[in-house]
Amino acid sequence: MDSQQIKKELMRRGFDFSMIAEVLGKSPSLVSKVASRKARSQAVAVALAKAIEREIEEVFPDIEAYHHKPITPEQRKQKQRELVALLKG
């Protein structure tokens, strides 16, 4: 979906970019930029997809990075430990 399609679908459901931004604690500009592919934020992309009740792959089929679940903070720490071990070895 392009930015205008996302915006139209949000409006149909009574939402807009500024509402998404406020709920996420992000700027409306970031939400708009994510929708138009001028910035990347998995959290914003997921929120947009959820708000229009679509799968992330349908809303952002062109951004492979969004198609995978984000890692948890604990998984990130584990990966960092692995990287430290690799780089020291």
Side-chain angles (χ1 to χ4, degrees), residues 42 44-47 49 54-61 66-68:
Q42 184 150 5
V44 172
V46 167
R54 303 272 178 98
E55 294 295 322
I56 191 83
E57 296 86 357
E58 183 180 354
V59 181
F60 296 98
Y66 292 163
H67 302 178
H68 309 285

Side-chain angles (χ1 to χ4, degrees), residues 69-87:
K69 286 189 174 189
I71 62 173
T72 66
E74 184 52 43
Q75 289 169 326
R76 183 178 176 84
K77 286 179 189 175
Q78 177 60 34
K79 285 299 193 184
Q80 287 172 328
R81 288 190 291 268
E82 288 176 29
L83 186 56
V84 167
L86 280 171
L87 296 177

Side-chain angles (χ1 to χ4, degrees), residues 1-4 6 17 20 24 26-49 56 59-60 62-63 66:
M1 298 178 76
D2 67 25
S3 179
Q4 289 305 312
I6 295 169
F17 289 161
I20 301 281
L24 295 176
K26 307 285 185 189
S27 72
S29 173
L30 177 62
V31 175
S32 177
K33 286 177 182 176
V34 170
S36 63
R37 278 68 167 181
K38 293 178 182 169
R40 296 232 176 145
S41 167
Q42 184 150 5
V44 172
V46 167
L48 288 167
I56 191 83
V59 181
F60 296 98
D62 53 325
I63 303 178
Y66 292 163

Side-chain angles (χ1 to χ4, degrees), residues 6-25:
I6 295 169
K7 185 184 279 190
K8 186 176 180 179
E9 190 60 28
L10 283 171
M11 286 178 19
R12 193 175 75 73
R13 297 169 187 274
F15 305 130
D16 61 28
F17 289 161
S18 64
M19 291 171 140
I20 301 281
E22 189 173 339
V23 168
L24 295 176

